[in-house]
Amino acid sequence: MTDGMTIGRVAKAADCNIQTIRYYEQIGLIPAPRRSSGNQRLYDASAVRRLAFIRHARELGFPLSAIRDLISLVDHPAQSCEAADRIATAQLHAVEGRIRRLTALRGELERMVEECKGGRVADCRVIEVLSDHSLCETPDHGAPALAE
Amino acid sequence: MTDGMTIGRVAKAADCNIQTIRYYEQIGLIPAPRRSSGNQRLYDASAVRRLAFIRHARELGFPLSAIRDLISLVDHPAQSCEAADRIATAQLHAVEGRIRRLTALRGELERMVEECKGGRVADCRVIEVLSDHSLCETPDHGAPALAE
DNA sequence: CTTGAACCTATAGCGACTGTAGAGAGTAGA
DNA sequence: TCTACTCTCTACAGTCGCTATAGGTTCAAG
């Protein structure tokens, strides 16, 4: 019943689309499953769990490289937590940085939207702010560098 | 003086790297500038302003498609502000969703790092959370829609 | 006139997918 | 059994927003 699920069923169960599953297999993030006589992939329940893990971590912003590391921890649950601690701490710092930048950004966007009340574009606060960096008071000194 | 700037000077002035400028030209986000006798691009001050506008919007997380729309508004300043407001509001919602999700994640990561003091991976909180979506209280269900 | 920095084009690569084409596999009804 | 239809297969191109490289040309200083 749980054994021998086709890729479509797994995709639904793990809320992950089919191409993405094949992509994860291709880059070695999940193991290649066994095949039916007609060469179709057949998964068991553990594949669904792993995919759900990956998708959830992705939704939370972990890059695949970090997920790869986390998976190798999951696969060796008896060892010390140290590596997981390191990964999580690094991830925590990254997340904190992103929150800081996004919070500054939210303030600016709120101000823009607030002041843009049906005027004409010529007076549009949104465009004014975007045009002049000095109008924006990022508490973050350097370049916000949205990326990452 | 402001007229006839080479791409390198413009890049410095607008805090935007050279390849990116050529890329923006290629995709039609900025107009192709005139050229010197030796085929080098020569920009005027308006190009710097436009690039600064684009870079600033990018830093704020606007996708190029939204920026394209904003530019067309800037180029037609007599019309209503409504479209700019819509774009900025969508971006604001996207940013708020991201902050919510990241804040939830930060909580989990903090707890994990806290509880991960020489224990074993088998008991690791973050892995547990990542494995089971129901443990996490993200108020935001859906996709970010706009940008990043 | 020579050197070296800045510029040119064209192309490939990144991460993390998504979409397509054209073929084969599996299933349900007549 | 035949047909119709859906699902899956591989392989590869495209997405976004750049960044990097290769191999050449132009410009400005000494």
Side-chain angles (χ1 to χ4, degrees):
Chain A
M1 180 187 123
T2 54
D3 213 62
M5 298 171 79
T6 61
I7 199 168
R9 289 178 186 286
V10 171
K12 272 213 182 79
D15 194 24
C16 177
N17 93 31
I18 291 175
Q19 284 100 308
T20 303
I21 296 174
R22 290 199 278 247
Y23 170 71
Y24 287 164
E25 179 185 327
Q26 189 189 309
I27 64 168
L29 200 62
I30 58 173
R34 66 195 181 84
R35 301 284 183 126
S36 72
S37 55
N39 199 36
Q40 301 196 349
R41 290 170 180 83
L42 292 178
Y43 297 90
D44 57 22
S46 72
V48 178
R49 282 197 300 275
R50 168 145 306 181
L51 278 169
F53 177 93
I54 295 169
R55 290 314 304 162
H56 192 197
R58 285 293 301 134
E59 275 167 26
L60 292 173
F62 285 82
L64 290 186
S65 57
I67 294 172
R68 210 184 280 273
D69 293 345
L70 287 168
I71 283 175
S72 85
L73 294 173
V74 176
D75 286 347
H76 303 96
Q79 69 185 26
S80 155
C81 214
E82 207 181 307
D85 182 55
R86 229 180 310 112
I87 294 170
T89 302
Q91 193 62 23
L92 177 57
H93 291 332
V95 166
E96 282 169 344
R98 272 185 254 160
I99 289 174
R100 266 197 307 280
R101 270 178 277 133
L102 285 170
T103 303
L105 205 153
R106 181 181 55 186
E108 281 193 61
L109 288 169
E110 277 168 352
R111 225 170 346 126
M112 285 185 196
V113 171
E114 189 61 29
E115 296 181 24
C116 176
K117 301 282 191 198
R120 245 162 292 122
V121 171
D123 316 308
C124 190
R125 183 71 186 161
V126 173
I127 283 165
E128 190 186 336
V129 170
L130 287 174
S131 297
D132 189 351
H133 204 293
S134 70
L135 290 177
C136 113
E137 357 136 326
T138 42
D140 200 23
H141 54 296
L146 178 86
E148 167 207 3
Chain B
M1 178 189 127
T2 55
D3 214 60
M5 298 170 78
T6 61
I7 198 168
R9 288 178 186 287
V10 172
K12 274 214 181 75
D15 193 25
C16 177
N17 94 31
I18 291 175
Q19 284 99 308
T20 304
I21 296 175
R22 290 198 279 246
Y23 169 71
Y24 287 163
E25 180 184 328
Q26 188 189 309
I27 63 168
L29 200 61
I30 57 174
R34 64 195 182 83
R35 301 282 184 130
S36 72
S37 55
N39 199 36
Q40 300 197 351
R41 290 170 180 83
L42 292 177
Y43 297 90
D44 57 20
S46 71
V48 177
R49 280 197 302 275
R50 170 145 304 184
L51 277 169
F53 177 93
I54 294 169
R55 290 314 303 162
H56 192 196
R58 286 292 302 136
E59 278 168 22
L60 292 175
F62 288 81
L64 290 185
S65 58
I67 294 172
R68 210 182 281 271
D69 293 344
L70 287 168
I71 284 176
S72 86
L73 293 173
V74 176
D75 287 346
H76 303 94
Q79 67 187 34
S80 158
C81 199
E82 207 180 307
D85 181 58
R86 226 182 313 113
I87 295 167
T89 301
Q91 184 62 18
L92 176 57
H93 291 334
V95 167
E96 282 171 342
R98 251 176 104 63
I99 289 174
R100 268 198 305 280
R101 272 179 274 129
L102 284 171
T103 303
L105 172 62
R106 182 180 55 186
E108 296 303 335
L109 286 169
E110 278 167 351
R111 221 174 329 149
M112 182 256 182
V113 170
E114 190 63 27
E115 294 179 22
C116 186
K117 300 284 188 204
R120 247 162 291 124
V121 172
D123 315 309
C124 203
R125 179 78 184 157
V126 105
I127 284 167
E128 189 187 340
V129 170
L130 289 174
S131 298
D132 188 351
H133 204 295
S134 69
L135 290 177
C136 113
E137 347 133 341
T138 41
D140 196 25
H141 54 298
L146 195 79
E148 214 210 2

